[in-house]
Amino acid sequence: MSQAPLAITMGDPAGIGPEIVAKSWAVRALRSLPQFALVGDPAAVRRVWSGPVEAIDDLDEAAAVFDRALPVLAVGDAGPVTPGAPEVGGAKAALQALERSIALVRSGAARALVTGPVSKAQLYGIGFNHPGQTEFVAERCGIAAEDAVMMLAGPSLRVVPITVHVPLAQVPSLLSVELIVAKGRATALGLTRDFGIAAPRLAFAGLNPHAGEGGAIGREEIDILAPAIAQLRDEGIDATGPFPADTLFHARARAGYDAVLCCYHDQALVPIKTLHFDEGVNITLGLPIVRTSPDHGTAFGIAGRDEAHPGAMIAAIALAGQAADRRARA
């Protein structure tokens, strides 16, 4: 497939992003990872890793460097950042790396984007006004935020939260037939385009305990979820539910669907993080580019201690390469 490398943003340089990218490079052959380059401050990597690092001026140089050193496209001078102690300079460097990486992927210089973990609190301090990196990437790609779907994927489970970073008390008022149908369509398309599943099977979790118990403890399943699922079926999408959430995530249930759409953030993220904490990948569906991210945060508490597990970053790199290859073949 395309020889263009993946672009990986370093995330906040005071977090574990530089370390887990470096550790991923160290097992590149063992894990059959595609070529990639870190976009960010080379000094941030050297502070936390003693392995080979080589600064490059252009992504075209990554292929020649990749076998002997971690190639780093120098973008953003974070300054004298201390691991575990986030500062404004690091947030600015993280945002510069993200901006540059999106442009590289959109231009074709990189074939997929993998984003390192950032501190939204630090970004908000420099004027960042998006709920997260997903919405920022969508905007830069010309996609409305509501059309970008966050999926968390692991070896045995894929979940999509229909509502994401909102207070739990607001969830019932935010659910609508239109929103659920839009998320279902995007999920089905993403499963085909990025995962190679020809006929995706979608399951939907109910909002209320026992999926409302026939309306006895909530009508959202009857008035909102069921009509949306019926519309998706009318469009030819294999959609089932709504099911009680407490019965959806055991092994036999997981064998019956390719992804489950959940009504709110924790309904989706608790099971995926319980099953695949060190392997979970955040992939954004509905974008014109491939974008993945490890499903964890900056972990400032362990940054610089050589304790960060690279499993989720390794999985994010592998999935990004696989999805990019599938899109190229299509």
Side-chain angles (χ1 to χ4, degrees), residues 209-222:
H210 303 171
E213 215 165 72
I217 48 177
R219 290 194 54 86
E220 285 83 2
E221 288 78 11
I222 296 170

Side-chain angles (χ1 to χ4, degrees), residues 4 16 22 73 80 93 111 136 141 151 165 228 257 307 309 318 324:
I16 63 171
L73 182 65
R111 64 193 184 102
F136 183 83
C141 291
M151 171 181 281
H165 299 123
Y257 56 75
E307 296 177 7
H309 193 293

Side-chain angles (χ1 to χ4, degrees), residues 262-300:
C262 301
C263 290
Y264 55 93
H265 182 277
D266 285 10
Q267 191 181 54
L269 271 72
V270 167
I272 190 74
K273 290 193 174 184
T274 299
L275 289 168
H276 303 304
F277 189 81
D278 289 325
E279 305 163 291
V281 177
N282 180 339
I283 179 169
T284 307
L285 309 179
L287 298 178
I289 65 172
V290 172
R291 181 261 174 155
T292 67
S293 178
D295 183 27
H296 60 65
T298 52
F300 291 129

Side-chain angles (χ1 to χ4, degrees), residues 12 41 60 66 72 103 139 142 149 186 195 237 246 250:
D12 193 303
D41 185 355
D60 287 344
F66 191 72
V72 182
E139 180 187 272
V149 173
F195 291 87
I237 294 172
D246 62 355
H250 60 81

